[in-house]
Amino acid sequence: MTTTDTPTPERRSRILADLTPLRTSVHYRRLWFGNTVSWIGQGMTALAISLQVYDITRSSFSVGLVGLFSLVPLIVFGLYGGAVADTVDRRKLGLYSAIGSAVLSAGLACAAFAGFHHVWLLYGVVALQAVCAALNSPARSSMIPRLLPPEQLPAANALNSMTTTSGMLIGPMLGGLIVGYGGYQIAYLVDAVAFGASLYAMWRLPAMLPDRDRTAAKRASVLDGLRFLATRPNIRMTFFSDFCAMILAHPRALFPAIAVLWYGGDARTTGLLVAAPAVGALMGGVFSGWLGRIRRHGAAILLAVAAWGTAIAVFGLTRNLWLGLFFLALAGCADTVSMVFRNTMLQAAAPDEMRGRLQGVFIVVVAGGPRLGDFLAGSVAGLTSPAVAVTGGGLACVLAIGLLTLRAPGFVRYDARTPTP
């Protein structure tokens, strides 16, 4: 083999995730590592709580209520947490909310060690954990533009996507193993200890007071953030495009039926269907080195969402399991690309004093959109069939993105070198 056949480090860096933010900013490096560890711990706890609720109640409905007790506080306090993040020191808000999450996990461990098994306690802790997450996420996300230069934001958001996806994949797997061998109390205890990495990263950060140039005379309000969003077409389009994917083409609720009707499978097949988009999303983060060279972020978002809808539509036409998993993974990869550029636009185009509130809106969209998508997919499938719901939803997503492209030419022309909200 000649030397020209060997991939150079430069060529590899164009394909694999860009690690420049980790190399250039020690604060971001600590924050990324701490968040990765804590996300895995939270994934463990989420699975352990679901298993414990079922162990106590023997009711799938009771397990489903866990999601409701998490969703409502996340939506309500997501907007409020964003307003708080635009008012106080974001470092302190992130630190105190992370401490709250760690204390809650430690409380679960103590209750499990003491043999105090009551479902109302688990529901209450889940709700409080959602409140802490709703306060922590806007503060943490709005810190990133203060730690890195604008040209490194796409790479940082790609790395952040790997953090969340790793938590969703690795956390539940570790949680199942730990609960199986050591019990619920060990899983909760490991999660509480895992928060130590995130707490250390937050503690070492400098003060992160928001820019008060425009808001010195008043406290930040949720309504001001929504009014700002209403007058900023490019930022507003990032949310509209995400709604197209999450509401119109989100077949997750149909996976149990699809596993049986299309593939003759069982719960294990359903697990593969659920995991496939997450695996694709993780691969999208791992092979994200090329994203930093893209400047037309608006056009990239529209193309990525259209790719999501197309992949979902084709998935609805497949009856081969491995081919179906491939298209679901492809959709997950497209979602990572969309998420990277949507987050980058929120961070780069929005003024600092509005970043927390916009991240709060982002939380509401990410948390609420898929639930609306589950309801729509289930309703359409009930009236017609799962195939119509899946393929029709994917095509509707592509059509909606096409209409948005025609209605928002400024979004298509958005250039990262001159970010405008």
Side-chain angles (χ1 to χ4, degrees):
M1 179 182 292
T2 64
T3 56
T4 56
D5 293 328
T6 304
T8 65
E10 182 181 358
R11 286 177 59 190
R12 287 195 296 267
S13 67
R14 293 177 182 176
I15 300 174
L16 299 178
D18 184 357
L19 304 182
T20 303
L22 297 176
R23 291 195 296 263
T24 59
S25 173
V26 63
H27 291 303
Y28 176 78
R29 183 165 63 246
R30 291 195 195 104
L31 195 62
W32 182 84
F33 177 77
N35 289 338
T36 300
V37 174
S38 63
W39 264 93
I40 292 174
Q42 290 171 73
M44 292 170 47
T45 290
L47 179 73
I49 287 177
S50 296
L51 292 173
Q52 190 173 9
V53 168
Y54 185 78
D55 193 30
I56 295 171
T57 65
R58 296 296 172 182
S59 166
S60 297
F61 175 77
S62 298
V63 177
L65 287 179
V66 173
L68 182 63
F69 276 93
S70 174
L71 176 63
V72 174
L74 198 61
I75 291 178
V76 173
F77 285 90
L79 294 174
Y80 177 73
V84 174
D86 285 337
T87 307
V88 303
D89 184 346
R90 290 162 179 164
R91 168 189 170 272
K92 290 183 179 179
L93 179 61
L95 180 62
Y96 295 154
S97 55
I99 290 174
S101 295
V103 170
L104 289 169
S105 293
L108 285 173
C110 291
F113 275 117
F116 192 77
H117 303 297
H118 293 278
V119 70
W120 60 264
L121 172 66
L122 299 176
Y123 288 152
V125 170
V126 164
L128 291 175
Q129 285 178 330
V131 172
C132 291
L135 294 173
N136 184 273
S137 184
R140 189 178 63 244
S141 297
S142 55
M143 291 176 188
I144 305 302
R146 304 275 288 270
L147 300 175
L148 298 169
E151 63 271 14
Q152 292 184 20
L153 292 179
N157 286 313
L159 291 170
N160 292 341
S161 76
M162 294 170 61
T163 290
T164 56
T165 309
S166 297
M168 290 188 293
L169 287 174
I170 300 173
M173 288 190 295
L174 286 179
L177 290 173
I178 292 175
V179 169
Y181 287 102
Y184 303 114
Q185 60 273 19
I186 302 300
Y188 298 141
L189 186 60
V190 171
D191 183 25
V193 174
F195 271 107
S198 181
L199 294 176
Y200 176 74
M202 292 282 185
W203 179 66
R204 291 295 302 271
L205 286 173
M208 289 280 179
L209 288 168
D211 186 352
R212 301 285 181 85
D213 290 345
R214 303 180 188 178
T215 57
K218 58 181 180 180
R219 296 183 64 83
S221 74
V222 173
L223 290 179
D224 286 341
L226 295 177
R227 292 190 191 101
F228 174 84
L229 182 60
T231 59
R232 300 303 190 272
N234 285 335
I235 293 179
R236 193 168 63 246
M237 273 290 295
T238 65
F239 295 111
F240 287 162
S241 60
D242 193 39
F243 272 135
C244 289
M246 294 298 99
I247 296 179
L248 298 176
H250 197 262
R252 181 183 59 187
L254 306 181
F255 284 165
I258 288 172
V260 175
L261 297 176
W262 294 4
Y263 305 121
D266 51 18
R268 289 171 293 185
T269 308
T270 303
L272 290 174
L273 295 173
V274 172
V279 172
L282 181 60
M283 291 298 99
V286 171
F287 298 101
S288 62
W290 58 278
L291 297 182
R293 301 193 298 276
I294 304 298
R295 296 290 180 263
R296 301 286 289 275
H297 289 181
I301 291 170
L302 295 172
L303 289 173
V305 176
W308 164 281
T310 302
I312 294 299
V314 176
F315 164 71
L317 299 174
T318 62
R319 295 300 180 269
N320 178 275
L321 176 60
W322 297 111
L323 190 60
L325 294 175
F326 169 78
F327 282 107
L328 287 176
L330 192 63
C333 183
D335 185 49
T336 290
V337 175
S338 169
M339 185 279 298
V340 166
F341 290 124
R342 284 186 287 113
N343 254 331
T344 300
M345 287 182 67
L346 286 180
Q347 293 166 343
D352 183 72
E353 69 270 17
M354 285 290 175
R355 284 176 182 150
R357 277 165 286 186
L358 292 177
Q359 288 295 332
V361 176
F362 183 82
I363 290 174
V364 173
V365 170
V366 170
R371 271 71 178 188
L372 292 175
D374 289 342
F375 174 76
L376 180 61
S379 300
V380 174
L383 294 173
T384 56
S385 69
V388 172
V390 176
T391 300
L395 294 176
C397 171
V398 175
L399 177 61
I401 282 296
L403 293 175
L404 287 178
T405 301
L406 295 176
R407 291 292 302 272
F411 186 71
V412 179
R413 294 192 300 267
Y414 177 94
D415 193 320
R417 291 168 291 190
T418 56
T420 55

